[in-house]
Amino acid sequence: MAKWPAERETTVVPTPFGRTYVNVCGPAGAPPLVLLPGGGGATSASWYAQAAEWARIRRVYAVDLPGAPGRSEPAAGRHPRTAADLAHWLDALLDGLGVRETDLGAHSYGAWIATHYALHAPGRIRRLFLLDPTQVFAGYKAAYLLHALPMLLRPTPRRTRAFLLWEARGAQPDPDWLRLQEAATGFPSVKPVTGPRPAPEALRGLETPVLLLLAGNSGTHDPHEVAARAGELLPHARVEVVPDVSHHALPQSAPRDLGRRLSGFLSDSSD
């Protein structure tokens, strides 16, 4: 968190599924931007590389997911079990933050949640950006699941590191981020919500402007297959494949211009 802007604040928002921890930065009167991390040990901390730039134009709210590693505190005996529960959680979170309408950004598993939420409450989402979403437009590669299996069956810091280094395709991840993933291995968490991909007919009806950025070296799925599928389904989407970056390198080790491209999308008034 030392890599975040010095003026970062924190808040905790009560929801039906526990207390949600949020890192906040940017001018209090600026339009809001809510950020959801990927699954596993990503946490809200993973947005550090873009937080300062976005905080110049937005009030940034980076969220720790309920029941996942991080500082959110799940309610005893109650945690989200379905995509509808996660939508109910996000409704309560936005209400608690005093946010009626927001831009929403997310990576990986968080992008699955964000897409379902945009379909659930399109009137609350001004713009949506998705970074290499999983289980939205395509399933996982068999090789990805095979390499992840040892970590899923018996998670240890060493197995977590080995899996992430494999997916990095020879690139060197940020060592601080890698240590965070290792630390999250033993973090008490509940089983993450899984479910179907968003219905194609629902996606075709989504009028929210979408920026979809796919990792060109993603080990999770074929980015060109995902791009083609998304292009067919999303009527108001810009779809781009970002070369030379892997799935788990996002967002913290993304190319230098990623923050500027996303800032441009958030500021664009043409849609």
Side-chain angles (χ1 to χ4, degrees):
M1 294 309 301
K3 298 184 178 183
W4 275 65
E7 65 274 15
R8 175 183 63 93
E9 307 167 12
T10 64
T11 188
V12 177
V13 180
T15 79
F17 300 100
R19 292 159 53 83
T20 298
Y21 182 88
V22 186
N23 287 294
V24 185
C25 57
L33 167 61
V34 173
L35 301 173
L36 304 182
T43 81
S44 59
S46 62
W47 297 100
Y48 61 82
Q50 295 82 28
E53 181 167 353
W54 292 340
R56 291 198 292 267
I57 60 171
R58 289 290 185 270
R59 181 70 165 173
V60 175
Y61 299 96
V63 179
D64 279 350
L65 299 178
R71 294 187 175 183
S72 289
E73 302 171 10
R78 187 177 186 191
H79 56 83
R81 300 179 185 276
T82 65
D85 286 344
L86 288 170
H88 184 34
W89 162 71
L90 260 175
D91 278 334
L93 175 64
L94 295 183
D95 290 344
L97 291 171
V99 171
R100 296 182 60 186
E101 183 184 42
T102 184
D103 296 316
L104 180 60
H107 171 236
S108 190
Y109 172 65
W112 179 82
I113 298 173
T115 304
H116 277 286
Y117 188 74
L119 296 172
H120 161 79
R124 300 195 79 164
I125 304 304
R126 178 178 173 270
R127 291 177 180 276
L128 177 68
F129 73 79
L130 307 173
L131 301 182
D132 216 42
T134 51
Q135 295 295 95
V136 175
F137 305 103
Y140 292 104
K141 285 182 178 178
Y144 181 84
L145 296 176
L146 184 64
H147 279 86
L149 191 60
M151 178 185 67
L152 296 174
L153 291 176
R154 190 167 64 85
T156 66
R158 183 181 62 81
R159 290 182 173 192
T160 296
R161 173 179 285 264
F163 171 70
L164 293 172
L165 290 176
W166 167 79
E167 203 276 330
R169 307 292 181 92
Q172 181 57 48
D174 182 325
D176 293 332
W177 173 82
L178 197 56
R179 284 194 292 272
L180 177 64
Q181 307 313 297
E182 292 175 323
T185 301
F187 196 93
S189 59
V190 300
K191 183 180 179 181
V193 176
T194 57
R197 298 176 208 164
E201 59 272 18
L203 290 172
R204 289 190 179 99
L206 183 65
E207 296 186 358
T208 304
V210 179
L211 176 62
L212 172 61
L213 297 178
L214 300 166
N217 288 344
S218 179
T220 60
H221 45 224
D222 182 331
H224 299 286
E225 175 188 333
V226 174
R229 180 66 171 159
E232 294 173 1
L233 294 176
L234 293 176
H236 302 284
R238 305 178 196 173
V239 182
E240 301 179 33
V241 177
V242 182
D244 303 323
V245 63
S246 65
H247 176 79
H248 291 287
L250 296 172
Q252 69 285 339
S253 297
R256 288 180 176 272
D257 67 339
L258 179 65
R260 290 192 295 273
R261 290 160 71 181
L262 292 174
S263 295
F265 170 69
L266 296 173
S267 302
D268 188 359
S269 60
S270 63
D271 291 309

